[in-house]
Amino acid sequence: MSEFNKQTKLLSTTKEDIQTAAKIIKNGGLVCLPTETVYGLGANALNGEAVLNIFKAKGRANDNPLIVHIAKFDDIKPLVKSVSEKAKILAQKFWPGPLTMIFEKSSLIPDEVTCKMDTVAIRMPSHKVARAIIEESGLPIAAPSANISGGVSPVTAEHCYADLKGRVDAVVDGGECEVGLESTVILMVGDKPRLLRPGFVTAEQISEQIGEIIIDDAILNPLKKGQQVLSPGMKYKHYSPSAKVIIIDADDEKYYSYVNQSQGEDVFALCYDEDVEHINKKCLTLGKHFDNESAANRLFYNLHQFDLMGAKVVFARLPKTDGVGLAVVNRLLRSAGFEVIKL
Ligand code: AMP
Ligand code: MG
């Protein structure tokens, strides 16, 4: 018999259901919960066995560490060795919110969370349901994105349920995630802070607060053979829908003519609102022309939609990399397996 035969409860965001979700966490179970970034697959971060079940449910590689979620600043103290002045400034400015910081870990954090690394990633989400579940459980919650590894991150409860039904104890439905992309990850250990994963909190906003930061090379480039990675998540296939995504780096006219002359019923376009009238294929849009915040919000949602619509090939426009665009392009490149056609 499959080990994935749990009765997955569907919970709402009533007080009673939040108490039920918190109880499951306290008892070592798994709960999919809404956050402002994407849905998380949460377990008690202080219980190694519960955390191990996250890896099993997702099919996650056992060297890809998890982010620990807290509800208030003081919760961080027992989890890390120290919090630098720069980290305090960032926490003050961006917490609660979509920023994850990496610190040297304390002995309270089990090896299962960090995959035996001596650092731990911590975030304080702003979503009121995520915060209520953390507070009600009285525990830090380890939570990666609530999807089978390799697929597109979930931004609705339906996305979680479709992927993880039978594998988790409950899914809490808090509606669609506001940001729609995972958090910004920054390493706060070492000489200079280093951006490991771009997100809604941008490199520019961080630099404004704490000065120069290093932008990790792996953000926009595929790894070279044998290259060491500081964030293990960067080396894995990621965010892939069933459809084949191909990025087109071109001006308006060249993009339209390339997409219009391509053959096939199941060819779709991922473009901007203003492009739709020029394209003879079915389109989903990232919002107004090169609006990065709206693109961040629509990207994963639309990748899920393409699969529901039976798309085989998706020709995506390449967004700009300023501000939140860096996060959008980082995810889109991985969805496309770095396949970019430059016209
Ligand atoms: P996800 O849980 O899917 O949002 O992925 C979490 C990301 O944070 C992955 O890319 C991890 O590799 C990264 N991460 C978590 N903990 C650490 C850590 N201690 N050091 C470096 N990267 C980390
Ligand atoms: Mg993920």
Side-chain angles (χ1 to χ4, degrees):
M1 199 162 72
S2 157
E3 61 179 308
F4 299 126
N5 54 5
K6 288 175 184 278
Q7 283 290 331
T8 303
K9 281 195 182 80
L10 274 173
L11 298 174
S12 69
T13 59
T14 59
K15 201 167 172 218
E16 200 186 355
D17 277 6
I18 282 172
Q19 283 168 346
T20 304
K23 203 162 162 194
I24 295 172
I25 300 273
K26 280 198 271 192
N27 290 337
L30 301 181
V31 176
C32 296
L33 65 158
T35 83
E36 72 278 20
T37 57
V38 302
Y39 272 72
L41 169 48
N44 175 1
L46 304 181
N47 176 342
E49 208 177 310
V51 168
L52 209 53
N53 286 330
I54 294 179
F55 287 81
K56 288 187 190 154
K58 275 182 66 93
R60 185 174 174 105
N62 64 6
D63 66 350
N64 191 6
L66 306 180
I67 294 171
V68 174
H69 296 73
I70 58 173
K72 55 182 192 309
F73 186 74
D74 281 349
D75 294 347
I76 198 177
K77 291 194 178 138
L79 308 178
V80 305
K81 283 209 172 129
S82 64
V83 179
S84 66
E85 281 311 308
K86 284 184 178 172
K88 280 184 193 153
I89 294 171
L90 294 183
Q92 181 92 36
K93 179 76 186 169
F94 299 111
W95 279 2
L99 176 71
T100 297
M101 289 190 269
I102 297 175
F103 302 91
E104 278 186 80
K105 82 175 191 77
S106 78
S107 57
L108 207 59
I109 298 281
D111 280 344
E112 287 82 355
V113 170
T114 61
C115 303
K116 302 200 171 133
M117 291 174 83
D118 51 17
T119 52
V120 63
I122 312 258
R123 179 166 104 81
M124 190 197 296
S126 63
H127 197 290
K128 63 181 194 313
V129 176
R131 298 173 62 75
I133 296 172
I134 300 168
E135 275 166 5
E136 185 68 35
S137 69
L139 292 165
I141 294 183
S145 53
N147 56 290
I148 300 281
S149 282
V152 180
S153 304
V155 294
T156 66
E158 288 79 13
H159 296 156
C160 301
Y161 194 73
D163 245 21
L164 297 173
K165 179 163 99 65
R167 294 172 180 246
V168 297
D169 297 289
V171 175
V172 180
D173 188 348
E176 199 180 319
C177 301
E178 206 180 316
V179 171
L181 283 184
E182 301 87 347
S183 58
T184 306
V185 177
I186 185 161
L187 179 64
M188 300 304 290
V189 178
D191 289 347
K192 274 216 180 99
R194 177 184 284 260
L195 188 74
L196 299 183
R197 179 173 74 184
F200 197 74
V201 173
T202 65
E204 293 89 334
Q205 287 173 315
I206 294 173
S207 288
E208 228 169 77
Q209 299 299 318
I210 59 167
E212 198 193 338
I213 62 169
I214 299 167
I215 310 281
D216 201 90
D217 214 31
I219 285 175
L220 290 180
N221 299 299
L223 288 180
K224 296 168 197 92
K225 249 203 175 132
Q227 185 180 341
Q228 292 278 335
V229 270
L230 288 164
S231 175
M234 287 186 187
K235 61 185 179 203
Y236 294 107
K237 173 172 170 274
H238 234 133
Y239 319 123
S240 304
S242 303
K244 181 171 178 52
V245 178
I246 299 168
I247 299 171
I248 310 295
D249 179 7
D251 63 21
D252 294 351
E253 293 312 321
K254 283 185 181 150
Y255 176 74
Y256 303 150
S257 76
Y258 187 89
V259 174
N260 286 340
Q261 48 101 30
S262 69
Q263 305 291 318
E265 276 282 291
D266 312 323
V267 174
F268 288 66
L270 179 61
C271 53
Y272 294 98
D273 294 346
E274 294 82 347
D275 300 328
V276 174
E277 60 178 316
H278 303 283
I279 294 176
N280 67 11
K281 303 286 185 295
K282 277 194 205 140
C283 301
L284 293 180
T285 79
L286 296 169
K288 295 240 174 309
H289 230 179
F290 297 105
D291 173 341
N292 286 332
E293 293 197 3
S294 135
N297 179 264
R298 298 326 293 161
L299 178 65
F300 286 162
Y301 187 87
N302 283 342
L303 292 178
H304 282 287
Q305 286 305 109
F306 282 126
D307 281 349
L308 292 173
M309 293 159 83
K312 292 274 187 310
V313 175
V314 174
F315 289 117
R317 288 207 76 167
L318 180 64
K320 307 240 184 290
T321 54
D322 58 315
V324 188
L326 188 63
V328 180
V329 174
N330 168 272
R331 306 306 192 278
L332 186 59
L333 279 168
R334 282 160 179 79
S335 303
F338 287 92
E339 191 165 339
V340 182
I341 297 175
K342 194 167 167 54
L343 300 174

